[in-house]
Structures are given as C-alpha cells and as structure tokens.
Amino acid sequence: MSYLSRTAKKPLQSFSRASRVVSALCSSLVKPANVWQQQTGYLGRSLSGSAAEMPAPSVLRPIGSNRKVAPSAGDVSTLNWPLAQAVRAVDPMPETVQAWMMDFETNSPLEILDVQRSVFAAPIRTDIIHRAVTYERNMKRQGTHNSRTRSEVRGSTRKVQPQKGLGAARHGTRRAPQFVGGAKAHGPVPRSHETGLQRRVWLMALRSVLSAKYSQDQLVIVDNMDIESHRTGELFNMLKINGWIPPTASKKLPSIMLLPLMDAELSGGLRNVEIASRNIQGISLMNARDAEVYETLRHELLVIDRKALDLLQEILKPL
C-alpha cells in the first residue's frame, strides 16, 4: 500500500468514530414520549382529535422538575383551561387630555375641557410636517418666471462675420447666449410648482402641529372671539393685557394666529375682530375650515374658539 492510500483513509476513520460518539450521546438524551408525559403531566392529543376532546391537565410542572406550579385539581375553572377567548392588550393611556377654556377678553379660566388625545397629544412627526409645509408653499408659488429665448430676443439673425479668414471663433447670430444682450440658455419658463400629497399625510401633519402647540403651552382655547369694538387700539390693548403680546421694551413683534370658526356672513363680534386685527403686525385671522399647517406652525401662539375645537376634533380624528 502506498503512502497516499494510507493517508487518505485516516480522515474517514476519524469521521466515522466521531459520528458514533455523537449518536451515542443523542440516544442517551432522548427519552420515550410516555416517560416525558409522565414527568410533565401533559397529555397530548392526536392531530385528528378536536379541541373539545383535549383533556385538562391535572398538574402543571416545569419540564424535568417535580415541583408543582399550579394547584392540582380536576376543576377546569381553577386552571382556566381551555381559554374562553383570546387575550387582548389594553391601552393604559386615556382617550382624552385636559385643557383650560379661557375668556377671550380677560384671559380668565372658565372650565376644563376634555380634548381628544389622538388630535392634541399625538406623536410629533417633524418629517411629516416638513412634507406638508413644502407642499403648501409650493402651492402658493406663482410660477410666472420667464426669460427670453433666441426667437424672442431683439436683433438680426444674419451671420456677424465670415466663417473663415479672420482667425476668430465661428459665430452666427448676435442673438446667441454668449453675446451681451443675447438670449438666455435653458432659462426659466412659466410653470406650476404644485406637488402632490396624500390627504391622510396632510391631516397627520396638522395633528402633529396641534400636538406641538399643546405640549409647549402655546394653544389657547376660548369660548368665543366676539368683541364689542372694532377699533385696533382696543384689541391691541386687550391682547397685551392678556399677556399674548410681548412687552414694548422687548421690541419683539407679536405672533398670534386667531383661528375661529367663521360662517359666510360674519356675526357682529367676529366682524369687529376681523376689522380690528387688519392693522396689527404679527396677528393673523383665518377661518378654521381653511386651517393650514404652515400658517399654524409659523405663529408662536394659536387661539381657537369652542366651535373650531369641535370642528378640528371631528376632521382630524384618526380612522
């Protein structure tokens, strides 16, 4: 026998010896099914049996142990076997959160309201807010930018110089983009900048903005916004007394968004607010039906009335 044939058989012999050792160890660990059932107290059912035929275990023990973990009794109700219904998770958080309702003229508290957690305490998604703000600002772009092309620029179309003989670059008309007063190459043209956004994404962004205002104590809920006078000075003084306008010494402009629910024909009180707030820089008035994510976000303080609160909760409630 050659040296190569002797060395080639050694790995096969060692492998067969190792396989016999492993099979011996596995056979010593495996126990018959009846022995395992006797030790654990579990009586399995066949695949053909039904759930009603499954017997209730009389004793529950951990596998490989004789210690009982449940009372040994024949009463099925004690062991809750089988389960009557599936176990469901329960949300520990309440469905509502509390907020003060203030008086618009005096900023005094009137009562505590229960508002929906899914609308005013929802997760704040900054990425969704960014998408909604980009969508709304693109919608407001006019898109009237324009530049003149070669056919629109003033000038002759004749060749400015001969093709050969001057030792200069080859040129055609003076309307070309490389000449001063020539056309604009690949310039802007009138177009629409509108982009698409799913409605449910936009609603999620508005819920995130309202939740941010609520969490940062920048949301004020009032009973109504009716005032008696339409004078700008009286409204400015009232907002300043309420603490909604920064003091004059700070030289900081107010940033207030008034968001009442307005009908087609304004009532006397809302009409006065609409007239008085026109000439106050930093104060905006918008109908709650036309609420926008960007306008709500860019103002520091958001003031809504009771009717607008009910409308927002009805529209923004998740499905």
Side-chain angles (χ1 to χ4, degrees):
M1 181 181 297
S2 63
Y3 173 76
L4 294 177
S5 61
R6 290 196 306 269
T7 55
K9 290 184 178 181
K10 288 184 179 180
L12 297 178
Q13 294 175 0
S14 61
F15 176 76
S16 60
R17 188 182 301 109
S19 61
R20 289 196 300 269
V21 174
V22 172
S23 60
L25 291 175
C26 294
S27 60
S28 62
L29 294 176
V30 175
K31 296 180 180 180
N34 55 355
V35 177
W36 179 79
Q37 292 175 359
Q38 293 176 3
Q39 291 184 357
T40 58
Y42 174 77
L43 301 177
R45 62 183 179 91
S46 62
L47 296 177
S48 61
S50 60
E53 299 175 356
M54 182 185 298
S58 59
V59 178
L60 297 180
R61 299 186 181 92
I63 296 177
S65 175
N66 295 325
R67 183 175 58 87
K68 297 180 181 180
V69 296
S72 176
D75 188 5
V76 179
S77 61
T78 307
L79 298 173
N80 295 327
W81 185 277
L83 295 177
Q85 59 183 358
V87 180
R88 297 181 180 180
V90 179
D91 188 4
M93 306 299 293
E95 296 182 357
T96 59
V97 293
Q98 293 183 340
W100 282 102
M101 186 174 70
M102 317 296 289
D103 183 73
F104 183 65
E105 296 184 356
T106 61
N107 197 24
S108 57
L110 299 179
E111 61 175 316
I112 298 178
L113 301 178
D114 291 332
V115 297
Q116 295 181 6
R117 175 180 293 274
S118 59
V119 178
F120 293 94
I124 302 175
R125 295 286 302 274
T126 56
D127 55 332
I128 299 298
I129 295 175
H130 177 266
R131 291 179 58 184
V133 169
T134 305
Y135 163 74
E136 292 181 355
R137 299 197 70 183
N138 287 340
M139 292 281 290
K140 294 182 179 181
R141 296 184 64 176
Q142 294 182 355
T144 56
H145 38 56
N146 188 26
S147 61
R148 294 184 179 183
T149 61
R150 293 175 64 134
S151 61
E152 299 171 345
V153 172
R154 178 179 178 272
S156 175
T157 58
R158 73 178 182 87
K159 192 172 178 62
V160 295
Q161 61 189 26
Q163 180 78 359
K164 294 179 178 295
L166 297 181
R170 296 167 290 186
H171 293 296
T173 174
R174 282 285 182 181
R175 296 184 181 183
Q178 66 266 26
F179 291 110
V180 177
K184 176 69 175 178
H186 309 292
V189 294
R191 67 183 182 91
S192 174
H193 293 270
E194 296 181 5
T195 56
L197 187 69
Q198 296 85 348
R199 177 172 175 79
R200 63 177 61 185
V201 177
W202 185 86
L203 294 177
M204 184 186 299
L206 188 56
R207 284 196 296 268
S208 298
V209 172
L210 294 178
S211 301
K213 294 295 183 183
Y214 176 83
S215 62
Q216 296 174 3
D217 199 17
Q218 296 178 350
L219 176 66
V220 179
I221 304 175
V222 297
D223 53 349
N224 56 69
M225 296 187 187
D226 297 338
I227 58 176
E228 299 178 356
S229 176
H230 65 278
R231 295 186 176 276
T232 302
E234 296 185 6
L235 177 62
F236 183 84
N237 293 332
M238 183 188 69
L239 297 178
K240 190 174 182 179
I241 293 175
N242 291 346
W244 298 344
I245 293 181
T248 309
S250 63
K251 297 182 180 181
K252 183 180 179 181
L253 294 176
S255 180
I256 305 175
M257 164 64 76
L258 302 178
L259 198 67
L261 180 59
M262 299 184 291
D263 300 329
E265 297 182 0
L266 295 179
S267 61
L270 285 178
R271 179 63 178 172
N272 293 335
V273 173
E274 193 270 334
I275 296 175
S277 61
R278 290 177 182 176
N279 201 26
I280 303 179
Q281 187 177 4
I283 296 181
S284 303
L285 179 67
M286 181 178 292
N287 191 353
R289 303 181 189 274
D290 305 327
E292 298 180 1
V293 175
Y294 175 68
E295 291 295 328
T296 307
L297 180 65
R298 75 181 186 90
H299 290 84
E300 184 176 352
L301 189 66
L302 176 63
V303 183
I304 62 177
D305 61 356
R306 183 66 180 271
K307 295 181 180 179
L309 174 66
D310 297 338
L311 177 66
L312 292 176
Q313 291 188 130
E314 179 181 357
I315 294 177
L316 299 178
K317 184 177 181 180
L319 298 178

